[in-house]
Amino acid sequence: MSGIDDLVSDVCPDGVVHLPLGEVGRFARGRRFTKQDLVDDGIPAMHYGEIYTGYGLSAADPLSQVRGDLAPHLRFALPGDVVIAAVGETVKDVGWGVAWLGTTPIAIHDDCFGFRSSALDPKFVAYYLRTNALNAEKAKYVARAKVKRLSGEGLSKLTIPVPPLEVQREIVRILDTFTELEAELEAELEAELEARQLQYQHYQEVLLNLVDAPLADVASLGRWQGGMTPSKANPNYWDSGEVPWLASMDVSDSRTDQIRGRVTALALAETSLKVVPAPSVAVVMRSNILRRRLPISFVNVDTTVNQDVRALLPRAGVDVSYVYQALRSASESIRASCVRTDGSMAALDTESFLSWQIPLPSLNEQRRIAAQLANFDAIVNDLSVGLPAELVARRRQYEYYRDRLLTFKELRA
């Protein structure tokens, strides 16, 4: 940081003037176009939602194009302008900007503003619009409706430090380097996690394929208990409920300790719901997620289930953890063979699923295999938690240095 500190000290030793955006540049609001106006070959265009989901701090290539005949009715940002989102889901999101560095003008949506200033580098502005200082200031001007909005008047009142352009560009250079390093780190961490997951899947398949034991139908492993959804019209079945109720959307691909749904004891007494004692294996039988994957979960708590889930109550001689590992290992094969996708809702064919076979060694051998796989699974899960946590820490570190670089002693008139 000493290099930029020395530059600031040399170029603006007494501080930096802070000005409202409306005084240092000018805003132009975009004009409306809809999804129906988007085409594959037309005029480059930017929708406000793309600022959050598709673009970074700057862009030179458009993600969208609109019909050419709309040109006379549209408003354009020019190369070197900053396109700022005027709406968003949170206060933090509103006011994010993208420096448009393309070679041609780009049409902007009416929920965006184009900002142009000869005194400010566009990427410097885009970086500053994401600082904590700016977030705190803009909170005063954001309309607190369900969809957060920031008017042109509110934007124009937000203040920004205006150091000399050479200082702005050096800061942009440093922050660009930080951003590249963060992206490289994220890619490395994601690659590491994916490699560990693939390693686990291979280890799981090899270990289970080595099992030399008679095959057993899934139906023979115990009782597969289904469930139902108590009437939502009866609040006595739901309000202040304490009995876990597992819905298909909450069946993960791992071990489940926390279940969001809750029903009351009255629901148990007056409906066909039955408690499945832990531990159990839950399988999604009906859901459109089956078009992509087959969720299978090891459930560690006593629970009820809804009509789209079946849970195994294992018979004597069957280790439920082993069944979970065996079914999860074969989940893609089961899905390919047993899932029907010809209706509006994908479904696991019950007869086909219950006739699926897995090797079933002695109970002691089941437990040994399950323990080995559980240990390896724990390593992967620790990595799944640890790597994102490291990434979050690095991002916070990056934000700290970004905000520090963009903080200047204010020059008083």
Side-chain angles (χ1 to χ4, degrees), residues 23-267:
E23 291 185 16
V24 74
R26 61 188 181 89
F27 291 95
R29 184 164 192 159
R31 290 185 176 159
R32 185 167 180 76
F33 56 83
T34 67
K35 289 183 178 179
Q36 287 71 33
D37 298 322
L38 300 179
V39 294
D40 292 331
D41 186 14
I43 300 170
M46 187 182 297
H47 188 274
Y48 80 91
E50 295 172 333
I51 294 176
Y52 310 119
T53 61
Y55 291 110
L57 268 292
S58 63
D61 297 310
L63 296 177
S64 300
Q65 299 181 65
V66 296
R67 295 178 2 233
D69 61 294
L70 294 177
H73 310 287
L74 298 175
R75 183 162 285 155
F76 294 83
L78 301 178
D81 288 354
V82 182
V83 183
I84 302 174
V87 302
E89 294 184 359
T90 68
V91 172
K92 183 178 179 180
D93 290 342
V94 180
W96 274 25
V98 175
W100 175 243
L101 304 180
T103 58
T104 62
I106 187 169
I108 58 175
H109 189 261
D110 66 339
D111 282 324
C112 296
F113 288 91
F115 175 75
R116 186 175 307 157
S117 172
S118 60
L120 291 169
D121 180 274
K123 290 190 72 174
F124 178 87
V125 175
Y127 274 118
Y128 191 79
L129 289 174
R130 301 193 182 196
T131 61
N132 291 322
L134 197 281
N135 284 334
E137 186 179 3
K138 73 184 175 187
K140 298 183 293 185
Y141 304 109
V142 173
R144 300 303 183 103
K146 182 176 181 180
V147 176
K148 308 300 185 290
R149 291 187 173 274
L150 187 58
S151 68
E153 181 181 1
L155 271 172
S156 67
K157 292 178 180 178
L158 299 178
T159 56
I160 187 171
V162 189
L165 282 170
E166 63 179 301
V167 173
Q168 296 179 41
R169 288 166 183 159
E170 178 61 14
I171 289 173
V172 166
R173 185 191 67 78
I174 295 171
L175 290 176
D176 282 350
T177 301
F178 282 177
T179 302
E180 291 172 6
L181 292 173
E182 181 192 6
E184 290 175 4
L185 174 65
E186 183 170 354
E188 290 173 2
L189 294 177
E190 289 177 350
E192 173 70 9
L193 179 58
E194 183 179 2
R196 291 296 183 93
Q197 290 171 334
L198 290 173
Q199 184 183 16
Y200 169 72
Q201 291 171 9
H202 175 72
Y203 180 73
Q204 182 186 53
E205 291 169 3
V206 168
L207 188 58
L208 290 168
N209 285 338
L210 291 175
V211 176
D212 184 13
L215 297 176
D217 292 344
V218 166
S220 71
L221 301 175
R223 179 160 63 88
W224 287 91
Q225 181 171 305
M228 51 88 68
T229 301
S231 173
K232 298 283 188 176
N234 188 344
N236 294 322
Y237 290 163
W238 299 94
D239 291 354
S240 302
E242 296 181 353
V243 181
W245 179 77
L246 182 65
S248 58
M249 69 182 68
D250 295 321
V251 177
S252 66
D253 294 318
S254 59
R255 296 173 181 263
T256 298
D257 297 297
Q258 302 295 325
I259 296 175
R260 294 182 298 173
R262 290 289 190 274
V263 295
T264 63
L266 184 65

